[in-house]
Amino acid sequence: MAGSRKNTEQKPEDFVQHHDGHASITLSRPMNVGGAPVTALKMREPLLRDQVAMQEQKGTDLEREIFLFANLCEITPDQLKALPVRDYNRIVAAYVGFPS
């Protein structure tokens, strides 16, 4: 039928697996970390002190969010900024997916 197409497009959360205390995030393509290609990031579960440290950072809301996510994934903010937006959206989905 014309016009009736199943939406099989994957969402950012489809690339995230939550575990006890961390999330695994599959990247769309490898990134270079310490000279080695990395195909997935591990984000630890945020602690209240992470939220406090983020709020103490200077800059825009986005810059503070980048600081927080880089810290949780144990990469630098510059490494995080070098990722494609689709991978950043996967990181956001991982963060949002932790139980509150």
Side-chain angles (χ1 to χ4, degrees):
M1 237 197 227
S4 67
R5 200 167 103 194
K6 269 189 174 177
N7 185 1
T8 58
E9 190 172 313
Q10 293 180 302
K11 297 176 263 193
E13 55 270 16
D14 294 337
F15 299 91
V16 177
Q17 291 183 345
H18 283 90
H19 309 280
D20 188 28
H22 75 278
S24 299
I25 307 156
T26 302
L27 301 174
S28 62
R29 61 180 155 250
M31 70 180 289
N32 185 350
V33 177
V38 173
T39 59
L41 293 176
K42 181 177 178 179
M43 176 186 278
R44 67 175 172 80
E45 186 172 8
L47 304 172
L48 180 56
R49 70 173 161 239
D50 296 313
Q51 293 287 329
V52 171
M54 179 185 75
Q55 292 300 319
E56 291 174 347
Q57 290 297 307
K58 297 203 184 302
T60 65
D61 288 345
L62 179 58
E63 289 169 327
R64 289 196 304 261
E65 186 175 90
I66 289 169
F67 167 83
L68 174 66
F69 294 161
N71 182 40
L72 294 176
C73 293
E74 297 182 352
I75 59 175
T76 68
D78 284 340
Q79 288 171 317
L80 186 66
K81 289 177 192 176
L83 290 175
V85 172
R86 69 177 141 185
D87 288 336
Y88 186 76
N89 290 337
R90 294 173 186 186
I91 290 170
V92 171
Y95 179 79
V96 171
F98 283 112
S100 51

